[in-house]
C-alpha cells in the first residue's frame, strides 16, 4: 500500500513524539539506573540492537532509528552512540540504494507518495558533482525525502561510490555536532556554540547548491 505523505508524516511524528515521551518518563523512573547497569554488562547486545534499529529506520522510514541512537548517549557516551548511528546509517542507506536501483520506480511508488516521486524524477544532478549533490540533498532535505533519496539515487545515474562518499560527508557534518550537543543539552555555552556553527555552515551550502544540481 502506498504511503501518502500526510499519513506518513503523521505516523512519523506520532512515533517520534511518543518515543521522546516514553524516554523522558523512563529517565525519571527507578529503572533508568538499572538499565544503565544492564547496558554496561550487555554492551555487545545493546549496541547490536541499536545498530539494527538504525538500519531498519532507514529501510522503513517511519521508524525513528536516529532517536534510539541519540537516546543511547547516557548509556554508552556520545561518541560510541554516534559511531553506531554512523555505521548503521551507511549500511541502511546502501541497502536502500541497491534495492531502489534494482527494483526502480515501481518499488518507490509503493513506499512514497506521488509528490515525493515527482521530486525525485525532476532532480537533475550535474555531471562530476554527484558527491556534492548527495551531500547537499542529505543535509537539507526532510527525513522523508532523505530516505527517498537513498532509494532513488541509483535511478538518477548516481554511482554507488559517489552516493557512499556523499553519505559519509553529510552524516559527519550533521551527526557529530548533533550528538555532541545532545550529550551537553543543558550546557548553554555548548548549545550556543553549536547553533552558531550551523548558522555559518547552512548559508554556505545554500549558496553552493546551484553548483551541484541543475
Amino acid at each position: 500500500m502506498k504511503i501518502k505523505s500526510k499519513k506518513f508524516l503523521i505516523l512519523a511524528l506520532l512515533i517520534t513524539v511518543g518515543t521522546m515521551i516514553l524516554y523522558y518518563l523512563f529517565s525519571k523512573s527507578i529503572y533508568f539506573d538499572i538499565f544503565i547497569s544492564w547496558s554496561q554488562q550487555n554492551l555487545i547486545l545493546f549496541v547490536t540492537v541499536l545498530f539494527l534499529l538504525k538500519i531498519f529506520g532507514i529501510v522503513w522510514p517511519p521508524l525513528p532509528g536516529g532517536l534510539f541512537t541519540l537516546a543511547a548517549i547516557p548509556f554508552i557516551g556520545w561518541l560510541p552512540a554516534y559511531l553506531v548511528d554512523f555505521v548503521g546509517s551507511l549500511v541502511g542507506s546502501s541497502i536502500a540504494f541497491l534495492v531502489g536501483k534494482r527494483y526502480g520506480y515501481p518499488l518507490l511508488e509503493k513506499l512514497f507518495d506521488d509528490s515525493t516521486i515527482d521530486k525525485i524524477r525532476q532532480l537533475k544532478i550535474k555531471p562530476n558533482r554527484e558527491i556534492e549533490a548527495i551531500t547537499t540533498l542529505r543535509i537539507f532535505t526532510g527525513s522523508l525525502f532523505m530516505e527517498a533519496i537513498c532509494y532513488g539515487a541509483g535511478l538518477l545515474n548516481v554511482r554507488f561510490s559517489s552516493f557512499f562518499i556523499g553519505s559519509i560527508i553529510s552524516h559527519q557534518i550533521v551527526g557529530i555536532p548533533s550528538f555532541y550537543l545532545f550529550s551537553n543539552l543543558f550546557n548553554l555555552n555548548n548549545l550556543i556554540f553549536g547553533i552558531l556553527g550551523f548558522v555559518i555552515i547552512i548559508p554556505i551550502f545554500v549558496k553552493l547548491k546551484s553548483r551541484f544540481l541543475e
Side-chain angles (χ1 to χ4, degrees), residues 70 78 82 85 170-180 198:
L70 280 171
W78 79 267
Y82 167 74
D85 189 271
S170 62
H171 195 285
Q172 292 177 344
I173 291 174
V174 175
I176 292 177
S178 297
F179 275 75
Y180 179 76
F198 279 115

Side-chain angles (χ1 to χ4, degrees), residues 69-88:
T69 47
L70 280 171
I73 291 176
F75 307 106
I76 60 177
W78 79 267
L79 183 56
Y82 167 74
L83 292 175
V84 173
D85 189 271
F86 175 57
V87 178

